[in-house]
Amino acid sequence: MKFDVLTLFPDMFNVLKESIIGRATRNKQIEIRITNIRDFSKDKHKKVDDTPYGGGAGMVLKPDVVYDAYVSIPKEKSAKVIYLSPQGKTLNQAKVEELAKEEHLILLCGHYEGIDQRVIDTIVDEEISIGDYVLTGGELPAMVLMDSVSRYVEGVLAKESVGEESFSEGLLEYPQYTRPEVFMGKKVPEVLLSGHHANIRKWRKEKSLFNTYQKRPELLQNRKLSEEEKLVIQRFKKESKEN
Ligand code: 4GO
């Protein structure tokens, strides 16, 4: 997976040198290249923005500077250009999986009041938002997107850890425990010490369903439930009425 980022704040992306994404970059499983939009200013003062036509507060990124930065990126026709913006479709796990199928993503990060609409209309294939709130720039959303997508790239995570976690089946994660066996008087659930793999699978599945039912019931609405899952949820409902 190749990521290109267009930004005015390249140093913000140093975050991605840490941990799993840093390792994936060094292992060449993913490639992250950062282009500083300011390098494409034609101005002797390296100006990249200007006041908005029609008036109003703040500054707008100039279309020609953003366009020249975009053109400088070596790319195939298949490269997909994403603008991180509150106006975009909200990123979720299904969207992450879809983006992971791409070979090359170009992430455009705005700042200030945004980018001249004409260059957005010219180069952007898709607008994506990481949630319904406004940020000072598209850099954090771009990093969120790269992190979530990179998890699906072959070799970035240990085998099997991709499919098993929260949302992979449209459900929340089951609780995890590690040593010590007793912590502040609380014991690890007995079944996890039993070595009985079928029972452990069943317990985890029920905990996933219960977590989802309790914390994010709307996720169950958007998911096809098996007959067995429906029965388990019926039981939760009955138990919650009894207590
Ligand atoms: C993206 C960009 C929020 C998001 C942004 C989001 N705020 N929710 N701000 O994903 C153009 C100038 C957009 C600042 C940018």
Side-chain angles (χ1 to χ4, degrees):
M1 170 67 73
K2 215 185 296 181
F3 296 106
D4 267 283
V5 180
L6 293 165
T7 175
L8 285 169
F9 298 93
D11 291 348
M12 286 183 75
F13 292 86
N14 284 334
V15 166
L16 301 176
K17 291 175 183 163
E18 298 287 336
S19 188
I20 294 170
I21 304 303
R23 183 185 63 197
T25 309
R26 291 188 293 275
N27 293 344
K28 308 260 163 35
Q29 288 150 342
I30 60 175
E31 193 181 318
I32 302 175
R33 197 170 28 187
I34 314 289
T35 297
N36 189 347
I37 295 171
R38 195 173 299 279
D39 292 345
F40 296 85
S41 168
K42 295 163 204 85
D43 186 82
K44 66 171 182 293
H45 301 107
K46 291 276 167 212
K47 192 177 157 73
V48 292
D49 55 2
D50 209 334
T51 53
Y53 276 116
M59 299 292 268
V60 178
L61 278 178
K62 293 162 70 64
D64 50 334
V65 179
V66 171
Y67 186 75
D68 289 351
Y70 162 75
V71 166
S72 80
I73 296 171
K75 54 188 163 294
E76 310 285 319
K77 275 211 180 66
S78 62
K80 185 167 210 173
V81 181
I82 294 170
Y83 179 45
L84 289 310
S85 147
Q87 296 181 31
K89 195 174 162 220
T90 312
L91 189 66
N92 59 22
Q93 202 64 32
K95 188 76 207 171
V96 169
E97 284 189 49
E98 188 188 310
L99 291 172
K101 297 187 180 111
E102 300 287 336
E103 267 170 79
H104 186 190
L105 297 175
I106 300 176
L107 308 177
L108 175 58
C109 304
H111 232 90
Y112 315 120
E113 291 308 301
I115 304 181
D116 186 291
Q117 188 62 40
R118 293 166 294 180
V119 72
I120 296 172
D121 294 343
T122 307
I123 69 174
V124 171
D125 296 306
E126 189 170 355
E127 287 187 49
I128 291 180
S129 164
I130 62 161
D132 288 338
Y133 38 83
V134 179
L135 298 165
T136 57
E139 285 78 10
L140 289 168
M143 286 188 256
V144 166
L145 187 153
M146 287 192 278
D147 187 290
S148 58
V149 169
S150 295
R151 297 178 66 265
Y152 283 91
V153 174
E154 180 77 25
V156 170
L157 296 186
K159 275 224 184 333
E160 281 138 29
S161 34
V162 184
E164 278 210 6
E165 81 289 315
S166 296
F167 293 117
S168 62
E169 266 199 284
L171 297 178
L172 300 183
E173 182 63 286
Y174 49 80
Q176 300 276 18
Y177 299 88
T178 187
R179 277 183 279 275
E181 211 176 296
V182 182
F183 170 70
M184 292 178 118
K186 292 174 156 68
K187 245 198 128 245
V188 171
E190 204 58 50
V191 63
L192 301 179
L193 310 173
S194 70
H196 193 306
H197 298 299
N199 285 353
I200 292 171
R201 238 191 326 275
K202 183 163 177 280
W203 182 88
R204 285 178 165 169
K205 179 64 187 281
E206 284 204 19
K207 287 292 180 185
S208 278
L209 274 169
F210 186 69
N211 270 344
T212 315
Y213 169 74
Q214 243 194 356
K215 298 178 179 173
R216 297 290 307 280
E218 77 280 10
L219 293 177
L220 294 175
Q221 242 63 68
N222 306 328
R223 181 180 185 277
K224 286 186 287 290
L225 292 168
S226 72
E227 289 309 309
E228 207 182 330
E229 289 169 344
K230 284 179 195 163
L231 284 173
V232 175
I233 289 162
Q234 297 270 303
R235 206 178 75 222
F236 296 154
K237 286 188 180 154
K238 201 165 140 268
E239 283 165 3
S240 72
K241 272 187 217 131
E242 286 165 4
N243 300 316

PDB file of all heavy atoms in Angstrom, residues 81-101:
ATOM      1  N   VAL A  81      -7.615   9.896  -4.907  1.00  0.00           N
ATOM      2  CA  VAL A  81      -7.351  11.113  -4.138  1.00  0.00           C
ATOM      3  C   VAL A  81      -8.480  11.355  -3.135  1.00  0.00           C
ATOM      4  O   VAL A  81      -9.651  11.422  -3.506  1.00  0.00           O
ATOM      5  CB  VAL A  81      -7.195  12.347  -5.058  1.00  0.00           C
ATOM      6  CG1 VAL A  81      -6.891  13.600  -4.237  1.00  0.00           C
ATOM      7  CG2 VAL A  81      -6.103  12.107  -6.097  1.00  0.00           C
ATOM      8  N   ILE A  82      -8.109  11.452  -1.875  1.00  0.00           N
ATOM      9  CA  ILE A  82      -9.079  11.626  -0.784  1.00  0.00           C
ATOM     10  C   ILE A  82      -8.830  12.968  -0.100  1.00  0.00           C
ATOM     11  O   ILE A  82      -7.692  13.290   0.268  1.00  0.00           O
ATOM     12  CB  ILE A  82      -8.945  10.475   0.236  1.00  0.00           C
ATOM     13  CG1 ILE A  82      -9.357   9.152  -0.424  1.00  0.00           C
ATOM     14  CG2 ILE A  82      -9.796  10.751   1.474  1.00  0.00           C
ATOM     15  CD1 ILE A  82      -9.044   7.933   0.407  1.00  0.00           C
ATOM     16  N   TYR A  83      -9.899  13.738   0.052  1.00  0.00           N
ATOM     17  CA  TYR A  83      -9.826  14.985   0.812  1.00  0.00           C
ATOM     18  C   TYR A  83     -10.467  14.757   2.168  1.00  0.00           C
ATOM     19  O   TYR A  83     -11.633  14.341   2.243  1.00  0.00           O
ATOM     20  CB  TYR A  83     -10.551  16.096   0.045  1.00  0.00           C
ATOM     21  CG  TYR A  83     -10.571  17.437   0.750  1.00  0.00           C
ATOM     22  CD1 TYR A  83      -9.429  17.964   1.348  1.00  0.00           C
ATOM     23  CD2 TYR A  83     -11.744  18.193   0.796  1.00  0.00           C
ATOM     24  CE1 TYR A  83      -9.451  19.203   1.981  1.00  0.00           C
ATOM     25  CE2 TYR A  83     -11.774  19.437   1.426  1.00  0.00           C
ATOM     26  CZ  TYR A  83     -10.620  19.932   2.014  1.00  0.00           C
ATOM     27  OH  TYR A  83     -10.652  21.154   2.639  1.00  0.00           O
ATOM     28  N   LEU A  84      -9.698  14.982   3.236  1.00  0.00           N
ATOM     29  CA  LEU A  84     -10.219  14.800   4.595  1.00  0.00           C
ATOM     30  C   LEU A  84     -11.005  16.045   4.970  1.00  0.00           C
ATOM     31  O   LEU A  84     -10.444  17.153   5.005  1.00  0.00           O
ATOM     32  CB  LEU A  84      -9.064  14.585   5.569  1.00  0.00           C
ATOM     33  CG  LEU A  84      -8.295  13.264   5.502  1.00  0.00           C
ATOM     34  CD1 LEU A  84      -9.249  12.070   5.506  1.00  0.00           C
ATOM     35  CD2 LEU A  84      -7.350  13.204   4.312  1.00  0.00           C
ATOM     36  N   SER A  85     -12.286  15.857   5.234  1.00  0.00           N
ATOM     37  CA  SER A  85     -13.166  17.004   5.445  1.00  0.00           C
ATOM     38  C   SER A  85     -14.407  16.591   6.218  1.00  0.00           C
ATOM     39  O   SER A  85     -14.900  15.462   6.053  1.00  0.00           O
ATOM     40  CB  SER A  85     -13.551  17.561   4.067  1.00  0.00           C
ATOM     41  OG  SER A  85     -14.852  18.091   4.080  1.00  0.00           O
ATOM     42  N   PRO A  86     -14.942  17.491   7.055  1.00  0.00           N
ATOM     43  CA  PRO A  86     -16.178  17.159   7.771  1.00  0.00           C
ATOM     44  C   PRO A  86     -17.346  16.925   6.813  1.00  0.00           C
ATOM     45  O   PRO A  86     -18.372  16.378   7.212  1.00  0.00           O
ATOM     46  CB  PRO A  86     -16.444  18.393   8.639  1.00  0.00           C
ATOM     47  CG  PRO A  86     -15.176  19.175   8.638  1.00  0.00           C
ATOM     48  CD  PRO A  86     -14.445  18.833   7.381  1.00  0.00           C
ATOM     49  N   GLN A  87     -17.208  17.338   5.555  1.00  0.00           N
ATOM     50  CA  GLN A  87     -18.280  17.134   4.582  1.00  0.00           C
ATOM     51  C   GLN A  87     -18.262  15.740   3.971  1.00  0.00           C
ATOM     52  O   GLN A  87     -19.160  15.372   3.217  1.00  0.00           O
ATOM     53  CB  GLN A  87     -18.163  18.168   3.440  1.00  0.00           C
ATOM     54  CG  GLN A  87     -18.364  19.584   3.932  1.00  0.00           C
ATOM     55  CD  GLN A  87     -18.270  20.603   2.811  1.00  0.00           C
ATOM     56  OE1 GLN A  87     -18.612  20.316   1.667  1.00  0.00           O
ATOM     57  NE2 GLN A  87     -17.789  21.781   3.141  1.00  0.00           N
ATOM     58  N   GLY A  88     -17.213  14.955   4.283  1.00  0.00           N
ATOM     59  CA  GLY A  88     -17.080  13.634   3.675  1.00  0.00           C
ATOM     60  C   GLY A  88     -17.965  12.587   4.305  1.00  0.00           C
ATOM     61  O   GLY A  88     -18.629  12.821   5.317  1.00  0.00           O
ATOM     62  N   LYS A  89     -17.957  11.424   3.674  1.00  0.00           N
ATOM     63  CA  LYS A  89     -18.655  10.268   4.231  1.00  0.00           C
ATOM     64  C   LYS A  89     -17.881   9.800   5.467  1.00  0.00           C
ATOM     65  O   LYS A  89     -16.650   9.765   5.459  1.00  0.00           O
ATOM     66  CB  LYS A  89     -18.688   9.161   3.163  1.00  0.00           C
ATOM     67  CG  LYS A  89     -19.668   8.079   3.475  1.00  0.00           C
ATOM     68  CD  LYS A  89     -19.797   7.063   2.347  1.00  0.00           C
ATOM     69  CE  LYS A  89     -20.437   5.826   2.924  1.00  0.00           C
ATOM     70  NZ  LYS A  89     -19.875   4.574   2.422  1.00  0.00           N
ATOM     71  N   THR A  90     -18.582   9.461   6.523  1.00  0.00           N
ATOM     72  CA  THR A  90     -17.909   9.091   7.774  1.00  0.00           C
ATOM     73  C   THR A  90     -17.167   7.762   7.635  1.00  0.00           C
ATOM     74  O   THR A  90     -17.732   6.781   7.158  1.00  0.00           O
ATOM     75  CB  THR A  90     -18.914   9.002   8.936  1.00  0.00           C
ATOM     76  OG1 THR A  90     -19.717  10.169   8.919  1.00  0.00           O
ATOM     77  CG2 THR A  90     -18.208   8.904  10.271  1.00  0.00           C
ATOM     78  N   LEU A  91     -15.922   7.768   8.052  1.00  0.00           N
ATOM     79  CA  LEU A  91     -15.096   6.560   8.007  1.00  0.00           C
ATOM     80  C   LEU A  91     -15.640   5.531   8.996  1.00  0.00           C
ATOM     81  O   LEU A  91     -15.913   5.858  10.147  1.00  0.00           O
ATOM     82  CB  LEU A  91     -13.656   6.932   8.372  1.00  0.00           C
ATOM     83  CG  LEU A  91     -12.591   5.854   8.176  1.00  0.00           C
ATOM     84  CD1 LEU A  91     -12.420   5.514   6.697  1.00  0.00           C
ATOM     85  CD2 LEU A  91     -11.262   6.305   8.762  1.00  0.00           C
ATOM     86  N   ASN A  92     -15.808   4.303   8.526  1.00  0.00           N
ATOM     87  CA  ASN A  92     -16.134   3.198   9.433  1.00  0.00           C
ATOM     88  C   ASN A  92     -15.340   1.969   8.978  1.00  0.00           C
ATOM     89  O   ASN A  92     -14.593   2.044   7.992  1.00  0.00           O
ATOM     90  CB  ASN A  92     -17.648   2.927   9.456  1.00  0.00           C
ATOM     91  CG  ASN A  92     -18.181   2.574   8.081  1.00  0.00           C
ATOM     92  OD1 ASN A  92     -17.437   2.134   7.196  1.00  0.00           O
ATOM     93  ND2 ASN A  92     -19.466   2.771   7.881  1.00  0.00           N
ATOM     94  N   GLN A  93     -15.503   0.857   9.684  1.00  0.00           N
ATOM     95  CA  GLN A  93     -14.663  -0.309   9.387  1.00  0.00           C
ATOM     96  C   GLN A  93     -14.901  -0.842   7.968  1.00  0.00           C
ATOM     97  O   GLN A  93     -13.961  -1.285   7.318  1.00  0.00           O
ATOM     98  CB  GLN A  93     -14.889  -1.407  10.423  1.00  0.00           C
ATOM     99  CG  GLN A  93     -13.748  -2.394  10.548  1.00  0.00           C
ATOM    100  CD  GLN A  93     -12.464  -1.752  11.053  1.00  0.00           C
ATOM    101  OE1 GLN A  93     -12.482  -0.812  11.828  1.00  0.00           O
ATOM    102  NE2 GLN A  93     -11.343  -2.269  10.604  1.00  0.00           N
ATOM    103  N   ALA A  94     -16.138  -0.762   7.492  1.00  0.00           N
ATOM    104  CA  ALA A  94     -16.437  -1.230   6.123  1.00  0.00           C
ATOM    105  C   ALA A  94     -15.695  -0.370   5.096  1.00  0.00           C
ATOM    106  O   ALA A  94     -15.125  -0.883   4.123  1.00  0.00           O
ATOM    107  CB  ALA A  94     -17.940  -1.187   5.871  1.00  0.00           C
ATOM    108  N   LYS A  95     -15.679   0.942   5.337  1.00  0.00           N
ATOM    109  CA  LYS A  95     -14.965   1.861   4.434  1.00  0.00           C
ATOM    110  C   LYS A  95     -13.461   1.606   4.495  1.00  0.00           C
ATOM    111  O   LYS A  95     -12.772   1.637   3.462  1.00  0.00           O
ATOM    112  CB  LYS A  95     -15.284   3.309   4.848  1.00  0.00           C
ATOM    113  CG  LYS A  95     -14.777   4.362   3.908  1.00  0.00           C
ATOM    114  CD  LYS A  95     -15.637   4.421   2.676  1.00  0.00           C
ATOM    115  CE  LYS A  95     -14.866   4.932   1.491  1.00  0.00           C
ATOM    116  NZ  LYS A  95     -15.632   4.806   0.244  1.00  0.00           N
ATOM    117  N   VAL A  96     -12.959   1.352   5.689  1.00  0.00           N
ATOM    118  CA  VAL A  96     -11.530   1.049   5.859  1.00  0.00           C
ATOM    119  C   VAL A  96     -11.156  -0.181   5.028  1.00  0.00           C
ATOM    120  O   VAL A  96     -10.162  -0.178   4.292  1.00  0.00           O
ATOM    121  CB  VAL A  96     -11.192   0.825   7.356  1.00  0.00           C
ATOM    122  CG1 VAL A  96      -9.796   0.239   7.529  1.00  0.00           C
ATOM    123  CG2 VAL A  96     -11.317   2.133   8.133  1.00  0.00           C
ATOM    124  N   GLU A  97     -11.981  -1.228   5.105  1.00  0.00           N
ATOM    125  CA  GLU A  97     -11.713  -2.459   4.354  1.00  0.00           C
ATOM    126  C   GLU A  97     -11.730  -2.202   2.852  1.00  0.00           C
ATOM    127  O   GLU A  97     -10.930  -2.751   2.101  1.00  0.00           O
ATOM    128  CB  GLU A  97     -12.732  -3.545   4.712  1.00  0.00           C
ATOM    129  CG  GLU A  97     -12.453  -4.181   6.057  1.00  0.00           C
ATOM    130  CD  GLU A  97     -13.313  -5.411   6.323  1.00  0.00           C
ATOM    131  OE1 GLU A  97     -13.397  -6.295   5.444  1.00  0.00           O
ATOM    132  OE2 GLU A  97     -13.910  -5.477   7.422  1.00  0.00           O
ATOM    133  N   GLU A  98     -12.652  -1.348   2.432  1.00  0.00           N
ATOM    134  CA  GLU A  98     -12.757  -0.990   1.009  1.00  0.00           C
ATOM    135  C   GLU A  98     -11.501  -0.235   0.555  1.00  0.00           C
ATOM    136  O   GLU A  98     -10.921  -0.546  -0.489  1.00  0.00           O
ATOM    137  CB  GLU A  98     -14.009  -0.116   0.850  1.00  0.00           C
ATOM    138  CG  GLU A  98     -14.424   0.214  -0.554  1.00  0.00           C
ATOM    139  CD  GLU A  98     -15.553   1.243  -0.528  1.00  0.00           C
ATOM    140  OE1 GLU A  98     -16.553   1.025   0.212  1.00  0.00           O
ATOM    141  OE2 GLU A  98     -15.417   2.278  -1.224  1.00  0.00           O
ATOM    142  N   LEU A  99     -11.040   0.714   1.354  1.00  0.00           N
ATOM    143  CA  LEU A  99      -9.852   1.507   0.991  1.00  0.00           C
ATOM    144  C   LEU A  99      -8.596   0.637   0.975  1.00  0.00           C
ATOM    145  O   LEU A  99      -7.670   0.889   0.198  1.00  0.00           O
ATOM    146  CB  LEU A  99      -9.661   2.667   1.968  1.00  0.00           C
ATOM    147  CG  LEU A  99     -10.716   3.775   1.901  1.00  0.00           C
ATOM    148  CD1 LEU A  99     -10.516   4.773   3.049  1.00  0.00           C
ATOM    149  CD2 LEU A  99     -10.679   4.502   0.557  1.00  0.00           C
ATOM    150  N   ALA A 100      -8.581  -0.397   1.822  1.00  0.00           N
ATOM    151  CA  ALA A 100      -7.404  -1.272   1.904  1.00  0.00           C
ATOM    152  C   ALA A 100      -7.186  -2.037   0.592  1.00  0.00           C
ATOM    153  O   ALA A 100      -6.100  -2.556   0.352  1.00  0.00           O
ATOM    154  CB  ALA A 100      -7.541  -2.232   3.073  1.00  0.00           C
ATOM    155  N   LYS A 101      -8.217  -2.104  -0.256  1.00  0.00           N
ATOM    156  CA  LYS A 101      -8.081  -2.795  -1.548  1.00  0.00           C
ATOM    157  C   LYS A 101      -7.369  -1.931  -2.582  1.00  0.00           C
ATOM    158  O   LYS A 101      -6.938  -2.428  -3.624  1.00  0.00           O
ATOM    159  CB  LYS A 101      -9.461  -3.207  -2.073  1.00  0.00           C
ATOM    160  CG  LYS A 101     -10.161  -4.198  -1.169  1.00  0.00           C
ATOM    161  CD  LYS A 101     -11.451  -4.723  -1.787  1.00  0.00           C
ATOM    162  CE  LYS A 101     -12.123  -5.702  -0.850  1.00  0.00           C
ATOM    163  NZ  LYS A 101     -13.377  -5.170  -0.283  1.00  0.00           N
TER     164      LYS A 101
END
